[in-house]
Amino acid sequence: MRFTIFAHGSRTGWLVLALLVLLIMLPLAAVVLQVLLPGFFFGSRQIGDLSLLGEMFRRPLWYLSLKNTLVLGLGTTALGTVLGAALATARSRWSFPGARLLDGAVWLLIVTPSFILAQGWVMFASSDGLAASWFGWHWVHDAVFTPAGLIAVMSLSKFPFAYLAVYSALEWKMDRLGEAGRLNGGSAWTVWRTIEAPLLLPAYCSGALLVFMDTVGDFGLPASIAAVFRFPTLPYSIYSALYTSPIRFDMAGVLSFYLVVLIALAMSVQFWALRRARFDFLGGRATRAKAERPAKGAWLLAGGNFLLLASAVGIPLGANLLTSVTRPGKSGGSAFTLDHYRELFADGGQLTDALLHSLSIAAFAAIVGLFVGLLVAYVLTYSKFKLKRVIDVISLISLAVPGVVLGIGYIFIWNQAWLERIGLLLYGKPAILVLAGVAGAIPVITRIVTGAMAKVPQGLLSAAQMQGASFSRRVRTILLPLLRGALLSAALAAFGASVFDLAMTSILFPPNFMTLPVVINKAFEDLNFGYAAAATLTGGTAVVALILLMERLFKPKEARRPSR
């Protein structure tokens, strides 16, 4: 008798595919359909005027949004990729004081929401910010709030994507290739330019693509700087189109369409570049790269690393901290105060309710996302479902597509009159935030769980199946115990990301149902920087403490047991 690891592979595969289409592909298709049939979701079946796509280049705000997005995206991609690749190369080759701090800062920048980093820069560089009031650096305002300054600020928060891509590629090295080049008279620069750099092209392309996608889809920076500097981008103009009177669904649809096109073009360029040559150069003589202390210049590297960390991490996070505990003094300068923190919990304060709303939504999204992500990982790892490659691609799409675009699609899909008759009109209700959170959690959870699931031998599940164990029992008695640590990590990662998802919640939050990111952003837009900073630190501390508590309570005891 022939047993398969997934007796119900087709049925489960179709279920997973249906869920991913509902959560991710259907909203994206709705954005495109809104351009082709502008009134489709509001009762009209007339074919739209495709000339509206051409209006992008004739309407000043639309064109400026596209131009700013391209300038910010291309500039940040160039600077962020060069910075990340250079740091990764230096970190893999040389050991210097503070090198481990760089590794920690990279992950801190990745997990910290961009709007918090951007708000920190505004608090530091605004005309009456910390740089001007504390140090008298009035020039900082004019330096930061320009296109070039914003590119620099964005690069300091996005370079970790290029850093991780290149650093991972440098884990193994083939010294014989470089040695052959040097034996033939090549200088160190020539060897790097003609041998090492071309072989690292896939890593450079991957890092650049990640930087570009995260930059053009970023909602946090334009939303934060709007209080002091006008720099509209496609994500922020999409948001503005939904919160003007009358609501401009045509504008939101066209801008979202162009944003998706930019992402698709970036991915196409990467695929084209990687198909042009082979890059499989590792052989049996490959050795793991080991950082060595340089003969000279170690403290120069340490000093450069310190300046980078002070700029990328110290300024935005330090500005939040200082702003939260200071207020303008009567005779100039600043005075210490805790009034901003008292205001958070004063009568009628919104923070408590907003934090509870965000925590509950993130918890539901993490739980549902964990269930869906586990099924996706199971299908990708063990089943012979013929469309599992499609499932893998869809599970990654929500990483590439900006949250504002998915948010627009959710409005189109879940704001239909006929849904109200069957009780599924979700727009304007907290449930739509849970669905959006699940869509954002799926790719993160899937990647984490798939990596851990690949280590579980297929034979264990096959043996249980041969003994008559059902699919649910195999999962419950074999997979869940073996994957407990990975499942916990995946759920907590999705939970933390969902709490601070500004793009989705800003577009989809129901009336009188404020969330933590919305409260922080609205306070910031009202120039109440002290309150916004205090809310950011209080909410962030609460979320981190809760994550650490959950990890302590539910992490497998074996993982916590100290080695003897």
Side-chain angles (χ1 to χ4, degrees):
M1 180 181 296
R2 182 181 178 183
F3 288 89
T4 60
I5 188 62
F6 208 152
H8 304 288
S10 294
R11 282 188 294 175
T12 308
W14 286 113
L15 172 63
V16 167
L17 184 60
L19 289 173
L20 293 181
V21 168
L22 177 65
L23 293 171
I24 299 172
M25 295 307 298
L26 199 57
L28 292 181
V31 171
V32 177
L33 190 61
Q34 170 64 19
V35 176
L36 302 177
L37 302 172
F40 181 84
F41 296 101
F42 307 101
S44 173
R45 297 296 184 269
Q46 295 182 352
I47 297 178
D49 184 3
L50 295 183
S51 64
L52 190 63
L53 294 176
E55 292 295 310
M56 171 66 76
F57 304 97
R58 291 188 288 271
R59 301 193 182 188
L61 177 60
W62 297 17
Y63 176 72
L64 183 60
S65 300
L66 177 61
K67 178 183 175 182
N68 287 345
T69 299
L70 283 173
V71 169
L72 188 63
L74 295 176
T76 302
T77 299
L79 182 58
T81 302
V82 170
L83 179 61
L87 289 171
T89 303
R91 178 69 180 90
S92 66
R93 292 184 177 182
W94 300 305
S95 174
F96 52 89
R100 292 188 180 276
L101 292 178
L102 175 61
D103 298 334
V106 163
W107 286 109
L108 179 62
L109 290 171
I110 287 179
V111 302
T112 302
S114 63
F115 77 93
I116 291 178
L117 297 174
Q119 288 176 5
W121 276 100
V122 171
M123 295 171 189
F124 177 78
S126 59
S127 57
D128 57 349
L130 297 176
S133 61
W134 283 45
F135 306 107
W137 297 345
H138 298 282
W139 56 268
V140 173
H141 176 272
D142 295 331
V144 171
F145 296 113
T146 62
L150 295 181
I151 288 173
V153 168
M154 186 69 86
S155 299
L156 287 174
S157 65
K158 304 301 182 186
F159 83 85
F161 295 105
Y163 176 91
L164 290 178
V166 176
Y167 189 69
S168 299
L170 292 171
E171 180 182 3
W172 295 89
K173 61 180 180 178
M174 286 290 292
D175 287 337
R176 62 181 179 85
L177 299 177
E179 290 171 355
R182 285 189 289 272
L183 286 173
N184 283 277
S187 64
W189 164 250
T190 301
V191 169
W192 180 86
R193 180 175 54 85
T194 60
I195 298 177
E196 296 177 3
L199 291 175
L200 289 172
L201 181 61
Y204 294 147
C205 288
S206 296
L209 177 65
L210 290 173
V211 172
F212 181 81
M213 290 193 303
D214 207 61
T215 300
V216 300
D218 188 274
F219 176 72
L221 182 135
S224 298
I225 68 169
V228 295
F229 182 66
R230 178 175 170 78
F231 192 80
T233 60
L234 289 178
Y236 189 74
S237 294
I238 293 169
Y239 166 80
S240 300
L242 298 178
Y243 286 92
T244 56
S245 183
I247 297 176
R248 296 293 306 278
F249 283 114
D250 58 338
M251 175 180 173
V254 171
L255 298 187
S256 298
F257 176 81
Y258 274 94
L259 194 52
V260 172
V261 169
L262 288 181
I263 297 295
L265 287 176
M267 297 179 71
S268 300
V269 169
Q270 184 196 29
F271 294 151
W272 173 80
L274 297 185
R275 282 199 300 265
R276 297 185 62 195
R278 292 173 58 89
F279 303 94
D280 47 343
F281 62 92
L282 292 182
R285 297 179 61 185
T287 58
R288 187 178 296 274
K290 182 179 180 181
E292 299 178 355
R293 190 171 184 84
K296 58 181 180 178
W299 288 105
L300 182 62
L301 289 173
N305 184 50
F306 174 79
L307 291 177
L308 173 72
L309 297 184
S311 300
V313 179
I315 288 178
L317 299 186
N320 273 282
L321 176 60
L322 292 176
T323 304
S324 71
V325 295
T326 58
R327 58 177 173 79
K330 295 181 179 180
S331 57
S334 300
F336 177 80
T337 182
L338 294 177
D339 289 345
H340 302 309
Y341 288 93
R342 297 189 187 98
E343 186 182 354
L344 297 179
F345 304 101
D347 293 339
Q350 295 178 321
L351 182 70
T352 302
D353 289 340
L355 180 58
L356 291 176
H357 290 162
S358 291
L359 292 177
S360 60
I361 289 170
F364 279 115
I367 293 172
V368 177
L370 189 63
F371 172 76
V372 177
L374 180 63
L375 290 180
V376 172
Y378 199 105
V379 172
L380 294 178
T381 305
Y382 298 123
S383 82
K384 299 184 182 299
F385 183 53
K386 58 184 179 181
L387 296 179
K388 71 177 184 178
R389 177 61 178 169
V390 176
I391 291 176
D392 191 22
V393 172
I394 295 177
S395 69
L396 290 173
I397 284 179
S398 60
L399 274 179
V401 176
V404 289
V405 175
L406 276 180
I408 291 291
Y410 270 66
I411 293 177
F412 292 150
I413 295 298
W414 298 104
N415 191 27
Q416 303 299 305
W418 63 272
L419 291 174
E420 187 172 10
R421 295 193 293 270
I422 59 177
L424 290 178
L425 183 64
L426 300 184
Y427 180 64
K429 299 179 180 178
I432 197 171
L433 292 176
V434 175
L435 282 184
V438 172
I442 285 174
V444 177
I445 292 175
T446 299
R447 295 305 114 187
I448 295 176
V449 176
T450 301
M453 193 175 289
K455 301 177 181 179
V456 179
Q458 181 174 334
L460 292 179
L461 301 176
S462 298
Q465 185 179 0
M466 293 178 65
Q467 297 298 320
S470 64
F471 168 66
S472 61
R473 187 172 182 180
R474 296 198 302 272
V475 171
R476 187 178 67 255
T477 60
I478 298 177
L479 276 184
L480 292 186
L482 293 175
L483 300 177
R484 184 178 173 184
L487 292 174
L488 178 63
S489 297
L492 292 180
F495 172 80
S498 182
V499 170
F500 288 104
D501 189 346
L502 176 63
M504 283 285 202
T505 54
S506 293
I507 291 177
L508 299 175
F509 78 94
N512 301 320
F513 192 87
M514 304 291 283
T515 61
L516 179 62
V518 173
V519 166
I520 295 173
N521 192 57
K522 285 190 175 296
F524 200 84
E525 289 177 346
D526 295 336
L527 303 182
N528 193 352
F529 293 162
Y531 182 95
T536 296
L537 295 175
T538 301
T541 301
V543 172
V544 171
L546 188 57
I547 289 176
L548 294 177
L549 177 62
M550 292 298 101
E551 186 178 47
R552 179 66 180 175
L553 292 176
F554 297 107
K555 193 171 185 178
K557 294 181 179 179
E558 293 79 4
R560 297 200 304 262
R561 185 177 300 163
S563 58
R564 296 182 179 179

